[in-house]
Short mmCIF file of all heavy atoms in Angstrom, two decimals:
data_model
loop_
_atom_site.label_atom_id
_atom_site.label_comp_id
_atom_site.label_asym_id
_atom_site.label_seq_id
_atom_site.Cartn_x
_atom_site.Cartn_y
_atom_site.Cartn_z
N MET W 178 99.48 96.80 94.51
CA MET W 178 99.88 95.63 95.27
C MET W 178 101.35 95.68 95.49
O MET W 178 102.10 95.96 94.59
CB MET W 178 99.48 94.37 94.45
CG MET W 178 99.74 93.08 95.26
SD MET W 178 99.29 91.56 94.37
CE MET W 178 97.64 91.90 93.74
N GLU W 179 101.75 95.34 96.68
CA GLU W 179 103.21 95.27 97.00
C GLU W 179 103.62 93.82 96.95
O GLU W 179 102.81 92.93 97.12
CB GLU W 179 103.45 95.81 98.37
CG GLU W 179 103.07 97.36 98.44
CD GLU W 179 103.24 97.95 99.89
OE1 GLU W 179 103.52 97.18 100.80
OE2 GLU W 179 102.93 99.07 100.00
N ASN W 180 104.89 93.60 96.64
CA ASN W 180 105.39 92.21 96.59
C ASN W 180 106.83 92.12 96.96
O ASN W 180 107.56 93.13 97.11
CB ASN W 180 105.18 91.66 95.10
CG ASN W 180 106.02 92.35 94.07
OD1 ASN W 180 107.28 92.20 94.15
ND2 ASN W 180 105.47 93.21 93.28
N LEU W 181 107.29 90.90 97.15
CA LEU W 181 108.68 90.58 97.58
C LEU W 181 109.45 90.01 96.46
O LEU W 181 110.42 89.27 96.73
CB LEU W 181 108.63 89.68 98.82
CG LEU W 181 107.93 90.24 100.05
CD1 LEU W 181 107.91 89.22 101.17
CD2 LEU W 181 108.66 91.48 100.57
N ILE W 182 109.06 90.15 95.25
CA ILE W 182 109.70 89.49 94.12
C ILE W 182 111.22 89.89 94.00
O ILE W 182 112.04 89.03 93.87
CB ILE W 182 109.03 89.82 92.78
CG1 ILE W 182 107.58 89.19 92.82
CG2 ILE W 182 109.77 89.30 91.58
CD1 ILE W 182 106.67 89.51 91.62
N ARG W 183 111.45 91.17 94.04
CA ARG W 183 112.86 91.61 93.99
C ARG W 183 113.69 90.96 95.09
O ARG W 183 114.82 90.42 94.88
CB ARG W 183 112.96 93.14 94.07
CG ARG W 183 114.41 93.55 94.10
CD ARG W 183 114.59 95.03 94.05
NE ARG W 183 114.18 95.52 92.73
CZ ARG W 183 113.97 96.73 92.39
NH1 ARG W 183 114.16 97.70 93.31
NH2 ARG W 183 113.60 97.08 91.15
N ALA W 184 113.22 91.01 96.33
CA ALA W 184 113.91 90.42 97.49
C ALA W 184 114.18 88.93 97.25
O ALA W 184 115.28 88.44 97.51
CB ALA W 184 113.19 90.67 98.77
N GLU W 185 113.13 88.21 96.81
CA GLU W 185 113.30 86.77 96.62
C GLU W 185 114.36 86.50 95.47
O GLU W 185 115.10 85.59 95.48
CB GLU W 185 111.98 86.11 96.33
CG GLU W 185 111.06 86.12 97.49
CD GLU W 185 111.53 85.20 98.65
OE1 GLU W 185 112.18 84.21 98.42
OE2 GLU W 185 111.21 85.59 99.80
N ARG W 186 114.22 87.29 94.43
CA ARG W 186 115.14 87.17 93.25
C ARG W 186 116.54 87.38 93.74
O ARG W 186 117.45 86.61 93.43
CB ARG W 186 114.69 88.08 92.15
CG ARG W 186 115.68 88.09 90.99
CD ARG W 186 115.35 89.06 89.95
NE ARG W 186 115.32 90.47 90.30
CZ ARG W 186 116.33 91.25 90.53
NH1 ARG W 186 117.59 90.71 90.29
NH2 ARG W 186 116.24 92.49 90.82
N GLU W 187 116.81 88.48 94.43
CA GLU W 187 118.12 88.84 94.84
C GLU W 187 118.67 87.82 95.82
O GLU W 187 119.84 87.52 95.81
CB GLU W 187 118.16 90.25 95.42
CG GLU W 187 117.96 91.30 94.39
CD GLU W 187 117.86 92.73 94.95
OE1 GLU W 187 117.79 92.90 96.19
OE2 GLU W 187 117.90 93.63 94.10
N LEU W 188 117.78 87.25 96.74
CA LEU W 188 118.20 86.28 97.65
C LEU W 188 118.79 85.07 96.93
O LEU W 188 119.76 84.47 97.41
CB LEU W 188 117.01 85.85 98.51
CG LEU W 188 117.24 84.89 99.67
CD1 LEU W 188 118.02 85.54 100.77
CD2 LEU W 188 115.86 84.42 100.16
N ARG W 189 118.33 84.76 95.74
CA ARG W 189 118.78 83.62 94.97
C ARG W 189 119.94 83.97 94.02
O ARG W 189 120.43 83.15 93.31
CB ARG W 189 117.61 83.04 94.19
CG ARG W 189 116.61 82.31 95.09
CD ARG W 189 115.23 82.12 94.45
NE ARG W 189 114.32 81.39 95.28
CZ ARG W 189 113.70 81.89 96.44
NH1 ARG W 189 113.87 83.17 96.71
NH2 ARG W 189 112.89 81.16 97.11
N GLY W 190 120.27 85.29 93.96
CA GLY W 190 121.31 85.69 93.12
C GLY W 190 120.96 85.66 91.60
O GLY W 190 121.85 85.60 90.73
N TRP W 191 119.68 85.79 91.40
CA TRP W 191 119.24 85.78 89.92
C TRP W 191 119.13 87.19 89.39
O TRP W 191 118.80 88.10 90.12
CB TRP W 191 117.82 85.18 89.83
CG TRP W 191 117.75 83.74 90.24
CD1 TRP W 191 118.73 82.82 90.38
CD2 TRP W 191 116.58 83.01 90.53
NE1 TRP W 191 118.27 81.62 90.78
CE2 TRP W 191 116.96 81.71 90.86
CE3 TRP W 191 115.26 83.36 90.54
CZ2 TRP W 191 116.02 80.69 91.18
CZ3 TRP W 191 114.29 82.28 90.89
CH2 TRP W 191 114.69 81.03 91.19
N THR W 192 119.38 87.32 88.15
CA THR W 192 119.23 88.57 87.42
C THR W 192 117.75 88.65 87.07
O THR W 192 117.01 87.68 87.06
CB THR W 192 120.02 88.70 86.15
OG1 THR W 192 119.60 87.69 85.24
CG2 THR W 192 121.56 88.58 86.47
N GLN W 193 117.29 89.84 86.71
CA GLN W 193 115.96 90.02 86.21
C GLN W 193 115.74 89.17 84.92
O GLN W 193 114.61 88.55 84.82
CB GLN W 193 115.62 91.49 85.89
CG GLN W 193 115.56 92.30 87.15
CD GLN W 193 115.31 93.82 86.86
OE1 GLN W 193 115.78 94.27 85.84
NE2 GLN W 193 114.70 94.48 87.82
N ALA W 194 116.75 89.14 84.13
CA ALA W 194 116.62 88.26 82.85
C ALA W 194 116.54 86.82 83.25
O ALA W 194 115.69 86.06 82.60
CB ALA W 194 117.84 88.53 81.99
N ALA W 195 117.20 86.35 84.22
CA ALA W 195 117.18 84.95 84.61
C ALA W 195 115.79 84.65 85.19
O ALA W 195 115.18 83.57 84.88
CB ALA W 195 118.21 84.64 85.66
N LEU W 196 115.24 85.53 85.99
CA LEU W 196 113.90 85.31 86.48
C LEU W 196 112.83 85.29 85.43
O LEU W 196 111.93 84.53 85.31
CB LEU W 196 113.56 86.38 87.53
CG LEU W 196 112.12 86.27 88.10
CD1 LEU W 196 111.87 84.92 88.78
CD2 LEU W 196 111.88 87.42 89.14
N ALA W 197 113.00 86.24 84.44
CA ALA W 197 112.10 86.30 83.29
C ALA W 197 112.09 85.03 82.49
O ALA W 197 111.07 84.53 82.13
CB ALA W 197 112.49 87.45 82.39
N GLU W 198 113.26 84.47 82.31
CA GLU W 198 113.37 83.22 81.55
C GLU W 198 112.68 82.07 82.34
O GLU W 198 111.93 81.25 81.73
CB GLU W 198 114.89 82.83 81.37
CG GLU W 198 115.06 81.64 80.48
CD GLU W 198 116.52 81.43 80.20
OE1 GLU W 198 117.29 82.42 80.01
OE2 GLU W 198 116.95 80.26 80.16
N ARG W 199 112.87 82.05 83.65
CA ARG W 199 112.26 80.96 84.48
C ARG W 199 110.69 81.09 84.46
O ARG W 199 110.03 80.11 84.49
CB ARG W 199 112.74 81.04 85.86
CG ARG W 199 114.16 80.47 86.10
CD ARG W 199 114.60 80.65 87.49
NE ARG W 199 115.73 79.77 87.80
CZ ARG W 199 116.97 80.11 87.64
NH1 ARG W 199 117.30 81.22 87.03
NH2 ARG W 199 117.96 79.28 87.94
N LEU W 200 110.27 82.33 84.39
CA LEU W 200 108.76 82.59 84.42
C LEU W 200 108.16 82.62 83.02
O LEU W 200 106.97 82.70 82.87
CB LEU W 200 108.49 83.92 85.07
CG LEU W 200 108.74 83.99 86.63
CD1 LEU W 200 108.58 85.35 87.15
CD2 LEU W 200 107.89 82.95 87.37
N GLU W 201 109.04 82.58 81.97
CA GLU W 201 108.64 82.65 80.62
C GLU W 201 107.84 83.96 80.38
O GLU W 201 106.76 83.99 79.76
CB GLU W 201 107.79 81.38 80.20
CG GLU W 201 108.57 80.14 80.33
CD GLU W 201 107.80 78.90 79.98
OE1 GLU W 201 106.59 78.97 79.82
OE2 GLU W 201 108.43 77.87 79.80
N VAL W 202 108.46 85.01 80.82
CA VAL W 202 107.97 86.40 80.57
C VAL W 202 109.11 87.26 80.13
O VAL W 202 110.21 86.80 80.15
CB VAL W 202 107.18 87.00 81.84
CG1 VAL W 202 106.04 86.18 82.32
CG2 VAL W 202 108.23 87.17 82.92
N SER W 203 108.83 88.52 79.71
CA SER W 203 109.91 89.41 79.31
C SER W 203 110.55 90.00 80.58
O SER W 203 110.01 90.00 81.66
CB SER W 203 109.35 90.47 78.40
OG SER W 203 108.53 91.38 79.20
N ARG W 204 111.77 90.46 80.39
CA ARG W 204 112.49 91.11 81.45
C ARG W 204 111.71 92.40 81.86
O ARG W 204 111.63 92.76 83.01
CB ARG W 204 113.90 91.47 81.11
CG ARG W 204 114.77 92.03 82.23
CD ARG W 204 116.15 92.38 81.88
NE ARG W 204 116.17 93.57 81.03
CZ ARG W 204 116.06 94.85 81.52
NH1 ARG W 204 115.87 95.05 82.77
NH2 ARG W 204 116.05 95.88 80.64
N GLN W 205 111.07 93.04 80.91
CA GLN W 205 110.26 94.25 81.15
C GLN W 205 109.15 93.93 82.10
O GLN W 205 108.75 94.71 82.95
CB GLN W 205 109.76 94.84 79.81
CG GLN W 205 110.82 95.53 78.99
CD GLN W 205 111.69 94.56 78.23
OE1 GLN W 205 111.37 93.38 78.04
NE2 GLN W 205 112.84 94.98 77.76
N THR W 206 108.56 92.69 81.92
CA THR W 206 107.47 92.30 82.88
C THR W 206 108.05 92.16 84.27
O THR W 206 107.43 92.60 85.24
CB THR W 206 106.88 90.95 82.38
OG1 THR W 206 106.29 91.22 81.09
CG2 THR W 206 105.79 90.47 83.34
N VAL W 207 109.19 91.56 84.41
CA VAL W 207 109.82 91.42 85.75
C VAL W 207 110.03 92.80 86.37
O VAL W 207 109.74 93.08 87.52
CB VAL W 207 111.10 90.60 85.70
CG1 VAL W 207 111.85 90.63 86.96
CG2 VAL W 207 110.81 89.18 85.27
N VAL W 208 110.58 93.73 85.53
CA VAL W 208 110.81 95.10 86.04
C VAL W 208 109.53 95.68 86.51
O VAL W 208 109.39 96.27 87.55
CB VAL W 208 111.41 95.97 84.93
CG1 VAL W 208 111.51 97.42 85.38
CG2 VAL W 208 112.91 95.47 84.60
N ALA W 209 108.45 95.59 85.72
CA ALA W 209 107.14 96.16 86.08
C ALA W 209 106.60 95.51 87.33
O ALA W 209 106.04 96.16 88.21
CB ALA W 209 106.21 95.97 84.88
N LEU W 210 106.78 94.17 87.44
CA LEU W 210 106.32 93.49 88.66
C LEU W 210 107.08 93.98 89.89
O LEU W 210 106.48 94.35 90.92
CB LEU W 210 106.52 92.01 88.61
CG LEU W 210 105.58 91.22 87.62
CD1 LEU W 210 106.14 89.79 87.39
CD2 LEU W 210 104.19 91.15 88.19
N GLU W 211 108.38 94.05 89.79
CA GLU W 211 109.26 94.48 90.92
C GLU W 211 108.97 95.94 91.39
O GLU W 211 109.08 96.23 92.54
CB GLU W 211 110.72 94.31 90.60
CG GLU W 211 111.12 92.86 90.59
CD GLU W 211 112.64 92.72 90.40
OE1 GLU W 211 113.35 93.67 90.14
OE2 GLU W 211 113.12 91.48 90.50
N THR W 212 108.65 96.79 90.44
CA THR W 212 108.40 98.19 90.75
C THR W 212 106.93 98.45 91.12
O THR W 212 106.54 99.60 91.40
CB THR W 212 108.85 99.12 89.60
OG1 THR W 212 108.17 98.74 88.43
CG2 THR W 212 110.36 99.01 89.39
N GLY W 213 106.09 97.41 91.07
CA GLY W 213 104.73 97.56 91.39
C GLY W 213 103.84 98.21 90.33
O GLY W 213 102.74 98.65 90.59
N ARG W 214 104.46 98.36 89.17
CA ARG W 214 103.61 98.96 88.04
C ARG W 214 102.69 98.02 87.40
O ARG W 214 101.96 98.40 86.50
CB ARG W 214 104.58 99.61 87.00
CG ARG W 214 105.26 100.87 87.52
CD ARG W 214 106.14 101.49 86.40
NE ARG W 214 107.29 100.71 86.24
CZ ARG W 214 107.72 100.31 85.04
NH1 ARG W 214 107.13 100.66 83.99
NH2 ARG W 214 108.78 99.58 84.96
N TYR W 215 102.82 96.72 87.72
CA TYR W 215 102.04 95.65 87.00
C TYR W 215 101.65 94.62 88.07
O TYR W 215 102.59 94.15 88.77
CB TYR W 215 102.85 95.07 85.88
CG TYR W 215 102.28 93.89 85.25
CD1 TYR W 215 101.12 94.00 84.51
CD2 TYR W 215 102.85 92.68 85.43
CE1 TYR W 215 100.57 92.81 83.87
CE2 TYR W 215 102.35 91.48 84.82
CZ TYR W 215 101.17 91.60 84.05
OH TYR W 215 100.62 90.45 83.47
N ASP W 216 100.44 94.30 88.17
CA ASP W 216 100.02 93.24 89.05
C ASP W 216 99.87 92.01 88.19
O ASP W 216 99.25 92.01 87.12
CB ASP W 216 98.61 93.54 89.70
CG ASP W 216 98.71 94.63 90.66
OD1 ASP W 216 99.79 94.86 91.28
OD2 ASP W 216 97.63 95.28 90.96
N PRO W 217 100.42 90.88 88.65
CA PRO W 217 100.43 89.64 87.80
C PRO W 217 99.03 89.09 87.65
O PRO W 217 98.20 89.26 88.56
CB PRO W 217 101.40 88.73 88.57
CG PRO W 217 101.21 89.10 89.98
CD PRO W 217 101.03 90.67 89.96
N SER W 218 98.80 88.38 86.56
CA SER W 218 97.60 87.64 86.44
C SER W 218 97.65 86.45 87.46
O SER W 218 98.69 86.18 88.08
CB SER W 218 97.51 86.98 85.08
OG SER W 218 98.56 86.01 84.85
N LEU W 219 96.53 85.89 87.73
CA LEU W 219 96.48 84.82 88.73
C LEU W 219 97.42 83.66 88.31
O LEU W 219 98.18 83.13 89.13
CB LEU W 219 95.05 84.31 88.99
CG LEU W 219 94.87 83.43 90.20
CD1 LEU W 219 95.40 84.02 91.52
CD2 LEU W 219 93.42 83.10 90.37
N PRO W 220 97.33 83.20 87.02
CA PRO W 220 98.29 82.13 86.64
C PRO W 220 99.74 82.53 86.88
O PRO W 220 100.57 81.72 87.31
CB PRO W 220 97.95 81.86 85.17
CG PRO W 220 96.56 82.32 85.01
CD PRO W 220 96.44 83.50 85.97
N LEU W 221 100.11 83.74 86.54
CA LEU W 221 101.53 84.15 86.73
C LEU W 221 101.86 84.23 88.22
O LEU W 221 102.96 83.85 88.63
CB LEU W 221 101.76 85.52 86.02
CG LEU W 221 103.20 86.06 86.21
CD1 LEU W 221 104.23 85.13 85.72
CD2 LEU W 221 103.28 87.42 85.47
N ALA W 222 100.95 84.71 89.06
CA ALA W 222 101.15 84.72 90.48
C ALA W 222 101.43 83.35 91.06
O ALA W 222 102.28 83.13 91.87
CB ALA W 222 99.95 85.36 91.18
N PHE W 223 100.70 82.37 90.52
CA PHE W 223 100.89 81.00 90.98
C PHE W 223 102.31 80.48 90.46
O PHE W 223 102.97 79.76 91.21
CB PHE W 223 99.83 80.02 90.41
CG PHE W 223 98.56 79.96 91.25
CD1 PHE W 223 97.47 80.64 90.97
CD2 PHE W 223 98.65 79.30 92.53
CE1 PHE W 223 96.32 80.61 91.78
CE2 PHE W 223 97.56 79.29 93.32
CZ PHE W 223 96.33 79.88 92.96
N ARG W 224 102.71 80.82 89.27
CA ARG W 224 104.03 80.41 88.80
C ARG W 224 105.13 81.08 89.63
O ARG W 224 106.07 80.39 90.01
CB ARG W 224 104.25 80.84 87.31
CG ARG W 224 103.33 80.02 86.42
CD ARG W 224 103.88 79.96 84.91
NE ARG W 224 104.37 81.17 84.36
CZ ARG W 224 103.70 82.00 83.60
NH1 ARG W 224 102.44 81.75 83.25
NH2 ARG W 224 104.26 83.08 83.03
N ILE W 225 104.97 82.28 90.00
CA ILE W 225 105.99 82.93 90.86
C ILE W 225 105.95 82.31 92.23
O ILE W 225 107.07 82.01 92.76
CB ILE W 225 105.59 84.50 91.00
CG1 ILE W 225 105.71 85.18 89.65
CG2 ILE W 225 106.45 85.15 92.04
CD1 ILE W 225 105.09 86.51 89.56
N SER W 226 104.78 81.99 92.74
CA SER W 226 104.75 81.33 94.02
C SER W 226 105.44 79.99 94.03
O SER W 226 106.18 79.71 94.97
CB SER W 226 103.19 81.16 94.39
OG SER W 226 103.02 80.43 95.55
N ARG W 227 105.17 79.27 93.02
CA ARG W 227 105.83 77.89 92.91
C ARG W 227 107.35 78.00 92.79
O ARG W 227 108.15 77.31 93.34
CB ARG W 227 105.25 77.12 91.74
CG ARG W 227 103.98 76.45 92.05
CD ARG W 227 103.46 75.42 91.00
NE ARG W 227 103.37 76.01 89.70
CZ ARG W 227 102.24 76.55 89.24
NH1 ARG W 227 101.16 76.45 89.89
NH2 ARG W 227 102.15 77.09 88.02
N LEU W 228 107.78 78.99 91.94
CA LEU W 228 109.18 79.16 91.74
C LEU W 228 109.96 79.53 92.93
O LEU W 228 111.04 79.02 93.28
CB LEU W 228 109.44 80.26 90.65
CG LEU W 228 110.87 80.49 90.21
CD1 LEU W 228 111.46 79.30 89.49
CD2 LEU W 228 110.89 81.71 89.25
N PHE W 229 109.37 80.38 93.78
CA PHE W 229 109.99 80.87 94.98
C PHE W 229 109.62 79.91 96.23
O PHE W 229 110.11 80.16 97.33
CB PHE W 229 109.66 82.29 95.34
CG PHE W 229 110.25 83.29 94.43
CD1 PHE W 229 109.54 84.38 93.99
CD2 PHE W 229 111.57 83.09 93.92
CE1 PHE W 229 110.14 85.35 93.14
CE2 PHE W 229 112.10 84.04 93.11
CZ PHE W 229 111.39 85.11 92.68
N ASP W 230 108.78 78.94 95.91
CA ASP W 230 108.32 78.04 96.99
C ASP W 230 107.77 78.77 98.19
O ASP W 230 108.08 78.54 99.37
CB ASP W 230 109.44 77.06 97.44
CG ASP W 230 109.01 75.89 98.18
OD1 ASP W 230 107.84 75.51 98.04
OD2 ASP W 230 109.77 75.41 99.08
N LYS W 231 106.89 79.73 97.85
CA LYS W 231 106.25 80.60 98.95
C LYS W 231 104.79 80.69 98.57
O LYS W 231 104.42 80.69 97.38
CB LYS W 231 106.83 81.99 98.99
CG LYS W 231 108.27 82.01 99.25
CD LYS W 231 108.49 82.82 100.46
CE LYS W 231 110.04 82.87 100.79
NZ LYS W 231 110.28 82.97 102.15
N PRO W 232 103.87 80.74 99.62
CA PRO W 232 102.49 80.97 99.31
C PRO W 232 102.29 82.34 98.71
O PRO W 232 103.03 83.34 98.93
CB PRO W 232 101.85 80.85 100.62
CG PRO W 232 102.90 81.12 101.67
CD PRO W 232 104.19 80.68 101.02
N ILE W 233 101.24 82.43 97.86
CA ILE W 233 101.04 83.75 97.19
C ILE W 233 100.86 84.83 98.22
O ILE W 233 101.41 85.95 98.03
CB ILE W 233 99.71 83.64 96.29
CG1 ILE W 233 100.03 82.84 95.07
CG2 ILE W 233 99.21 85.01 95.92
CD1 ILE W 233 98.86 82.54 94.15
N GLU W 234 100.16 84.56 99.32
CA GLU W 234 99.95 85.63 100.33
C GLU W 234 101.24 85.98 101.09
O GLU W 234 101.35 87.00 101.72
CB GLU W 234 98.86 85.25 101.34
CG GLU W 234 99.18 83.96 102.12
CD GLU W 234 98.70 82.73 101.44
OE1 GLU W 234 98.48 82.68 100.22
OE2 GLU W 234 98.52 81.71 102.17
N GLY W 235 102.28 85.10 100.92
CA GLY W 235 103.60 85.46 101.44
C GLY W 235 104.43 86.30 100.52
O GLY W 235 105.50 86.85 100.91
N LEU W 236 103.99 86.46 99.31
CA LEU W 236 104.74 87.23 98.28
C LEU W 236 104.04 88.55 97.96
O LEU W 236 104.71 89.56 97.65
CB LEU W 236 104.92 86.43 97.00
CG LEU W 236 105.83 85.26 97.06
CD1 LEU W 236 105.76 84.44 95.81
CD2 LEU W 236 107.25 85.75 97.23
N PHE W 237 102.72 88.55 97.99
CA PHE W 237 101.96 89.67 97.60
C PHE W 237 101.05 90.20 98.71
O PHE W 237 100.41 89.39 99.36
CB PHE W 237 101.04 89.39 96.35
CG PHE W 237 101.82 88.89 95.18
CD1 PHE W 237 102.01 87.51 94.94
CD2 PHE W 237 102.37 89.76 94.30
CE1 PHE W 237 102.70 87.09 93.80
CE2 PHE W 237 103.09 89.31 93.19
CZ PHE W 237 103.27 88.01 92.92
N THR W 238 101.00 91.53 98.87
CA THR W 238 100.15 92.17 99.83
C THR W 238 99.46 93.34 99.24
O THR W 238 100.07 93.97 98.39
CB THR W 238 100.88 92.52 101.11
OG1 THR W 238 101.93 93.45 100.73
CG2 THR W 238 101.45 91.36 101.87
N PRO W 239 98.26 93.65 99.63
CA PRO W 239 97.62 94.81 99.08
C PRO W 239 98.43 96.06 99.49
O PRO W 239 99.02 96.09 100.56
CB PRO W 239 96.25 94.83 99.79
CG PRO W 239 96.04 93.49 100.34
CD PRO W 239 97.41 92.89 100.54
N SER W 240 98.53 97.03 98.59
CA SER W 240 99.26 98.30 98.96
C SER W 240 98.39 99.07 99.94
O SER W 240 97.20 98.86 100.02
CB SER W 240 99.53 99.04 97.70
OG SER W 240 98.38 99.41 97.06
N HIS W 241 99.06 99.97 100.59
CA HIS W 241 98.29 100.78 101.62
C HIS W 241 97.26 101.68 100.92
O HIS W 241 96.28 101.99 101.54
CB HIS W 241 99.30 101.64 102.39
CG HIS W 241 100.21 100.79 103.16
ND1 HIS W 241 99.84 100.01 104.25
CD2 HIS W 241 101.56 100.58 103.07
CE1 HIS W 241 100.86 99.37 104.75
NE2 HIS W 241 101.93 99.71 103.99
N SER W 242 97.42 101.97 99.63
CA SER W 242 96.46 102.84 98.98
C SER W 242 95.32 102.05 98.37
O SER W 242 94.33 102.59 97.94
CB SER W 242 97.14 103.66 97.91
OG SER W 242 97.67 102.78 96.92
N SER W 243 95.33 100.68 98.45
CA SER W 243 94.26 99.84 97.88
C SER W 243 93.13 99.75 98.89
O SER W 243 93.29 99.64 99.98
CB SER W 243 94.79 98.47 97.57
OG SER W 243 95.74 98.52 96.53
#
């Protein structure tokens, strides 16, 4: 799955640690999300969506290989 988490985070000037704190996850989780190595659970996807004030489908898209 591809996502715009890094772009949205950088747009707000947040560090990965700051985003992790806001989402109540580890910084390693944010790194894994941003690099596409980890797909979020549905509850985490909703938290990310609410935090960035964007619909889930505006943040996440299936990867071309999916």
Side-chain angles (χ1 to χ4, degrees):
M178 185 180 312
E179 296 175 358
N180 68 70
L181 299 175
I182 294 173
R183 175 176 291 170
E185 291 294 330
R186 175 182 61 77
E187 290 177 349
L188 186 68
R189 289 159 177 79
W191 297 345
T192 64
Q193 290 175 331
L196 177 58
E198 185 175 323
R199 285 176 161 86
L200 292 173
E201 298 180 346
V202 299
S203 69
R204 191 182 68 78
Q205 289 77 17
T206 297
V207 170
V208 171
L210 288 166
E211 288 186 352
T212 57
R214 287 183 289 129
Y215 172 69
D216 291 335
S218 65
L219 193 54
L221 179 55
F223 274 106
R224 290 202 320 261
I225 294 167
S226 172
R227 280 192 299 268
L228 183 64
F229 290 141
D230 195 28
K231 300 241 180 209
I233 287 177
E234 63 271 21
L236 291 170
F237 300 96
T238 56
S240 63
H241 296 294
S242 59
S243 297

